[in-house]
Every structure is written in C-alpha cells, then in structure tokens.
Amino acid sequence: MTELAAPVITIDGPSGAGKGTVAQRVAETLGFALLDSGALYRLSALAVLRHGADPADGEAVAALAAAMQIRFEAEPGQGVRTWLDGEDVSQALRNEETAAMASKVAVLPQLRRQLLDVQRGFARAPGLVADGRDMGTVVFPDAPVKIFLTASAQVRAERRLKQLKEKGIDANLPSLLEDISQRDARDSERKTAPLKPAADAVTIDSSALNIDQVCQQVLEIAEKNGIRRGESES
Ligand code: DC
C-alpha cells in the first residue's frame, strides 16, 4: 500500500446513521477535503439510468463511470452541489430511483475497482474526511482514524420519516423500517466490500446522540491521533 498523501479520517456505516452530516461538519471544522463516496455510486447509477445501460453488466457500468465528468462544489453549511457531464444533478442524485439503482450497481466488482483510484485521488493536504461503507476496510486501509458510525434500525427509520415529512413526502414507519433492514442485509452480505467495521475502527452508536455530540467524539478521537485543524493550501 502506498503512503497516504494526507491524513484521512474514514467514516463508514449504514445509511441513516448520520455519516453525511458528521463527515461534512468534521471536514469543515478541520479545514479538510470531503469525499462522499456514496455520491460516486449514485452518479454511476444516474449514468446507467440516462444511458439505458444494463445494471448487471459490470464492464459496461464501469466504462460509463470511467467516462463521467464530475464536479463537486461545497456550499458551506448547506451541503455539496454536484455536476455530471455539465448538468447540475444535486437533486436527481438524492431521489429514490437513483438510490435504488446505486444499491444495485454498488455490488459490481468492476465498478468498485473503477472507483478505487477516483476515491484515493481525493486525499490531499491538509487532510480528507471520507464517508462511505468501505472507506476504512478497502479504500483507505492505512487511514490513521477510522470511525464506524451506526444507529439502531428503528432510530434510523424514525430519522428518515422525519426528513421525508419535512420535505412533504408521505411515508410510514413500518415500511421505512422494512426498507432499511433489507438494505442493511444487502449491504452487509454482499461479496464485494461488504459493510463491516475495519478491525481498527472505533464504533460510535449514534442512537442516543445528537450530531454535535457525535462530531465532538470524532474530533476528540482525531486529536488523540495527532490530527488538528489544517490550513488549506491556497
Ligand atoms: O450513502 P449513500 O446512500 O449515498 O450510498 C449510495 C449507495 O452506494 C448505497 O447503496 C451504498 C453504496 N455505497 C457503497 O457500496 N460503498 C460506498 N463506499 C458508498 C456507498
């Protein structure tokens, strides 16, 4: 394994544990770059949907992913705006069709291999916070700080229900809980890069914690490992 270009904090875990928000806040606090690896799988899914490609054809999906022109732009405090081939896809990236297709193509070893170097390319001074499912196990196995952020399925379903309600979308708890349990099983049982904590990861259960408390814990763990706020290089 080659040496990391900069310190990396990996944050892995199931969907709904709060990884995205925590990764963004920690990156902002430390002045680090951010990698939302799920967005790369969602972008690949969008490319498949737009080209009408066969999601089971690993070579074809990997080729589409290799040809994607991607641009991420952080909007402090508001998230990240994302472009695919010159089009702003920030909204399309988050819809259910894209999420379902992303979970299908994420099982393809050819796609995962294709995205490996893309993901590693995000590591740059002064540091990177990488959010996903296999950041600590596969993509950045030498990262000095690895977090596995989890929460009970019940709590994640309740959080999702709240988010959907805020957006005016109708949903009910039992079916969300069922969806989440199925997705967990698919993510943790798949052969390629299954969702599991790295042997040297610290597990944080966010069921009874708010975002600030989780960020605080992550920053304390980072500090113990000698990671402090960096100055960006511009
Ligand atoms: O975190 P998310 O919902 O944006 O992820 C979208 C899909 O991609 C989800 O099915 C899990 C998968 N994924 C993955 O397999 N590996 C990653 N490092 C990140 C996401």
Side-chain angles (χ1 to χ4, degrees):
M1 183 79 210
T2 49
E3 204 148 291
L4 288 169
V8 177
I9 298 175
T10 61
I11 305 184
D12 290 306
S15 58
K19 276 175 304 159
T21 314
V22 170
Q24 242 172 58
R25 291 244 198 118
V26 170
E28 264 176 45
T29 307
L30 293 173
F32 280 18
L34 176 69
L35 165 62
D36 170 6
S37 61
L40 295 175
Y41 288 94
R42 287 170 184 263
L43 284 162
S44 307
L46 260 187
V48 166
L49 289 166
R50 298 211 164 154
H51 287 84
D54 174 4
D57 183 343
E59 295 298 336
V61 175
L64 278 177
M68 296 188 298
Q69 296 289 323
I70 303 168
R71 189 154 66 91
F72 293 113
E73 215 169 86
E75 300 190 314
Q78 290 190 55
V80 176
R81 202 153 270 292
T82 309
W83 281 264
L84 173 62
D85 300 329
E87 182 195 347
D88 183 344
V89 293
S90 313
Q91 286 218 320
L93 219 54
R94 295 290 138 205
N95 72 33
E96 290 306 317
E97 190 191 16
T98 309
M101 182 58 84
S103 133
K104 260 193 205 163
V105 296
V107 305
L108 301 169
Q110 296 93 332
L111 177 65
R112 303 200 74 90
R113 215 173 302 126
Q114 164 60 34
L115 292 180
L116 211 48
D117 284 342
V118 177
Q119 294 172 94
R120 289 182 180 153
F122 277 77
R124 68 192 62 138
L128 175 71
V129 180
D131 146 18
R133 305 291 193 286
D134 61 343
M135 298 296 98
T137 48
V138 176
V139 182
F140 300 109
D142 296 338
V145 177
K146 297 181 184 179
I147 307 292
F148 193 78
L149 185 59
T150 184
S152 70
Q154 178 74 24
V155 166
R156 287 184 285 135
E158 283 165 6
R159 288 179 187 162
R160 183 83 187 126
L161 184 65
K162 186 161 167 266
Q163 273 176 355
L164 290 172
K165 278 202 172 145
E166 279 165 8
K167 285 192 204 159
I169 299 169
D170 207 23
N172 69 77
L173 197 59
S175 85
L176 285 174
L177 192 53
E178 176 69 22
D179 281 356
I180 284 178
S181 306
Q182 278 180 10
R183 203 173 288 183
D184 281 358
R186 209 164 45 222
D187 283 349
S188 55
E189 285 160 17
R190 71 173 176 225
K191 280 207 203 90
T192 321
L195 173 65
K196 59 165 194 221
D200 50 350
V202 178
T203 296
I204 299 177
D205 185 333
S206 75
S207 303
L209 301 175
N210 63 34
I211 293 285
D212 284 342
Q213 291 169 317
V214 176
C215 290
Q216 197 53 41
Q217 287 198 15
V218 175
L219 289 165
E220 276 167 19
I221 295 165
E223 181 142 16
K224 270 193 203 133
N225 284 275
I227 295 179
R228 290 190 182 79
R229 191 183 154 73
E231 295 306 325
S232 61
E233 293 205 316
S234 53

